């Protein structure tokens, strides 16, 4: 669904990961040339700037071990409203982060207009923990569960409790680090997960063909949520939770190119770029390159 107006929304969130540096991700991605890259492809980029995230002293919210719930909920509510407004204007929302907790607000905003959205979630992790299963209390590891309607009510109420993803419309690609509670959740919900084992055995082309079939069946659009730690740390060293043995640079571009050819993408977010942990802005440059591919950039 080619839309030549792109709304670029930065969310310098680091509270979900409880680690400084990832809040500089939007600046790093802009510095890596995302706006000019998209303009060269014929798009009109409307940079909406960054949503303000307030620093917090208190970690855990009383009554729960989850960290910074109130501020994360506030920011995601604002992001939900911003994404919804940009869709109303006819723009394609492209959200840049920031840690993966911001997916809560992005997806909630998308669901206001496309209640049957399909989601391709590129990530080394499942992000399907809840308060009862999370070993850390970090909300960036809970965002997909929240978007499916499971988790702390301050988070699940964002965008309305009735507007949530359907498990059968979600595909996780690149998983290689799942907590025990996440494994149970995936099995109970029946979510299709392509681990690195399946990518190695089937190849990324086959994986993307199957993923696209799932997320386009009975849906009204497809959202891409791409965590840069889905790629191998050799290609993307600037992430907070790297896991070796990930998706290669070339496999990632193939996946984005196939998404572009399918012409089904209606929103996207790229998250977890941490310049403090990076080498010469390499991870942000990879992110911009992947955005180029998903928006139609080709060699010939």
């Amino acid at each position: 669904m080619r839309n030549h107006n792109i709304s670029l929304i930065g969310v310098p969130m680091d509270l979900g990961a409880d680690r400084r540096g990832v809040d500089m991700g939007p600046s790093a991605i802009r510095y890596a040339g995302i706006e000019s890259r998209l303009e060269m492809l014929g798009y009109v980029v409307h940079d909406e700037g960054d949503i303000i995230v307030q620093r917090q002293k208190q970690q855990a919210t009383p009554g729960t071990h989850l960290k910074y719930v109130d501020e994360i909920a506030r920011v995601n509510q604002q992001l939900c409203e911003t994404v919804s407004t940009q869709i109303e204007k006819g723009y394609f929302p492209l959200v840049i982060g920031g840690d993966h907790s911001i997916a809560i607000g992005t997806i909630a905003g998308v669901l206001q207009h496309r209640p049957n959205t399909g989601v391709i979630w590129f990530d080394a992790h499942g992000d399907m923990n809840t308060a009862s299963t999370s070993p850390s209390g970090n909300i960036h590891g809970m965002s997909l569960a929240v978007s499916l309607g499971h988790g702390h009510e301050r988070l699940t109420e964002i965008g309305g409790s009735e507007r949530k993803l359907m498990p059968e419309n979600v595909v996780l690609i690149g998983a290689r680090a799942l907590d025990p509670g996440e494994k149970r959740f995936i099995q109970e919900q029946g979510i299709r997960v392509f681990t690195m084992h399946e990518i190695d055995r089937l190849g990324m082309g086959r994986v993307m063909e199957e993923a696209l079939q799932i997320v386009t069946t009975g849906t009204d659009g497809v959202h891409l949520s791409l965590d840069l730690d889905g790629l191998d740390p050799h290609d993307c060293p600037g992430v907070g939770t790297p896991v070796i043995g990930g998706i290669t640079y070339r496999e990632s571009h193939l996946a984005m190119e196939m998404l572009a050819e399918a012409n089904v993408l209606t929103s996207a977010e790229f998250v977890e770029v941490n310049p403090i942990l990076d080498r010469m802005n390499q991870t942000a440059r990879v992110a911009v390159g992947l955005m180029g591919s998903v928006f139609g950039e080709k060699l010939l």
Side-chain angles (χ1 to χ4, degrees):
M1 299 180 182
R2 190 59 57 86
N3 184 339
H4 283 87
N5 284 287
I6 295 176
S7 177
L8 188 66
I9 305 164
V11 190
M13 172 72 79
D14 65 355
L15 301 176
D18 196 21
R19 185 168 191 173
R20 299 310 305 269
V22 72
D23 54 319
M24 292 183 272
S27 294
I29 291 171
R30 288 187 176 98
Y31 183 75
I34 181 55
E35 188 168 351
S36 60
R37 190 74 165 258
L38 295 176
E39 288 174 343
M40 286 176 62
L41 295 172
Y43 293 93
V44 178
V45 180
H46 308 266
D47 193 339
E48 304 300 325
D50 291 346
I51 291 175
I52 295 174
V53 180
Q54 302 289 345
R55 292 303 307 163
Q56 302 289 298
K57 293 182 179 179
Q58 186 180 32
Q59 287 190 342
T61 297
T64 175
H65 76 299
L66 303 187
K67 300 174 184 176
Y68 311 112
V69 170
D70 290 337
E71 180 62 8
I72 290 173
R74 185 196 67 78
V75 171
N76 274 290
Q77 180 61 47
Q78 185 176 346
L79 177 57
C80 169
E81 294 166 3
T82 301
V83 168
S84 178
T85 297
Q86 299 309 311
I87 293 174
E88 287 175 357
K89 290 163 63 175
Y91 294 175
F92 182 109
L94 174 58
V95 179
I96 53 176
D99 68 57
H100 218 161
S101 68
I102 67 176
I104 296 169
T106 305
I107 292 173
V110 170
L111 290 173
Q112 304 307 303
H113 302 272
R114 301 186 181 95
N116 294 314
T117 292
V119 170
I120 292 182
W121 193 280
F122 276 86
D123 206 322
H125 309 89
D127 294 349
M128 286 181 267
N129 272 305
T130 61
S132 62
T133 65
S134 172
S136 67
N138 291 331
I139 292 174
H140 76 153
M142 308 177 193
S143 46
L144 184 49
V146 170
S147 297
L148 287 159
H150 300 265
H152 195 285
E153 64 180 8
R154 287 284 285 114
L155 302 173
T156 57
E157 68 185 8
I158 295 168
S161 58
E162 74 286 354
R163 290 188 180 269
K164 298 300 174 189
L165 297 174
M166 301 297 292
E168 61 268 25
N169 295 338
V170 175
V171 174
L172 172 59
I173 298 176
R176 54 194 185 278
L178 299 172
D179 294 321
E182 291 180 303
K183 294 178 183 179
R184 291 192 298 271
F185 185 89
I186 288 167
Q187 293 167 351
E188 291 168 359
Q189 297 293 314
I191 296 168
R192 183 65 170 101
V193 178
F194 291 96
T195 66
M196 289 308 302
H197 170 83
E198 278 127 337
I199 293 174
D200 290 341
R201 185 163 60 89
L202 301 174
M204 183 58 83
R206 172 77 176 277
V207 166
M208 283 303 297
E209 288 172 356
E210 292 189 24
L212 283 165
Q213 179 65 35
I214 293 169
V215 299
T216 59
T217 300
T219 61
D220 47 18
V222 176
H223 174 71
L224 169 66
S225 189
L226 192 148
D227 187 324
L228 272 298
D229 75 19
L231 279 74
D232 192 86
H234 174 77
D235 298 311
C236 288
V239 297
T241 50
V243 184
I244 62 172
I247 301 171
T248 68
Y249 178 83
R250 185 56 246 161
E251 287 172 331
S252 302
H253 274 282
L254 173 61
M256 298 301 102
E257 290 160 0
M258 292 182 69
L259 261 175
E261 290 171 359
N263 198 28
V264 295
L265 207 61
T266 51
S267 54
E269 65 199 341
F270 287 73
V271 303
E272 298 284 357
V273 173
N274 190 325
I276 288 179
L277 304 175
D278 209 2
R279 295 192 297 263
M280 299 180 69
N281 214 30
Q282 177 180 340
T283 303
R285 289 188 284 109
V286 170
V288 169
L290 293 175
M291 292 181 215
S293 288
V294 86
F295 283 102
E297 188 175 70
K298 296 181 179 180
L299 181 61
L300 293 173

